[in-house]
Amino acid sequence: MAARRDLGAGKRKHGSGTSQLLKLSPDKERQMSERRELYRSANGDAWFLGREPANGHAFVIHQPNAPSGGRLTHIELGDFLRSEPKGPEHQALLRLIGTLVNVPPYA
């Protein structure tokens, strides 16, 4: 399952499975401008909702703070939402998804 990609190489654990990490080219990083910040923690970690311009696929980008290495990690939406523990970055994504519906609650 190629669910997670970052600027390094190797494998990392995310949630309950192992995910493949892929190096992104400078051109790919420039294309990554289609993103929206979801959450920024007090320690400087940031999470973004990103979209692949070529095919419209959405994913979550995690940018750790500089002392942690600051290497971007791309996580498929399903894997991100299934991962534990649920943090404020998960709640932020769910709130954003909720804004896409124009129906009053309990309608």
Side-chain angles (χ1 to χ4, degrees), residues 6 21 23 35 40 43 48 60 65 73 76 81 83 98:
D6 78 356
L21 302 176
K23 182 175 173 76
R35 65 184 190 175
R40 187 171 297 269
N43 75 355
F48 302 88
V60 172
N65 60 32
T73 304
E76 290 188 11
L81 289 170
S83 67

Side-chain angles (χ1 to χ4, degrees), residues 26-92:
D27 288 338
K28 183 66 112 178
E29 278 301 308
R30 278 192 290 281
Q31 291 176 1
M32 296 292 299
S33 62
E34 293 191 32
R35 65 184 190 175
R36 177 177 177 164
E37 185 170 306
L38 294 172
Y39 180 76
R40 187 171 297 269
S41 69
N43 75 355
D45 283 11
W47 287 263
F48 302 88
L49 179 62
R51 187 172 72 89
E52 179 68 49
N55 59 24
H57 291 168
F59 50 90
V60 172
I61 303 165
H62 175 227
Q63 182 175 13
N65 60 32
S68 297
R71 299 175 90 180
L72 295 177
T73 304
H74 299 193
I75 310 162
E76 290 188 11
L77 288 177
D79 289 339
F80 179 78
L81 289 170
R82 282 189 298 272
S83 67
E84 295 290 340
K86 302 287 188 241
E89 62 276 11
H90 292 87
Q91 296 303 313

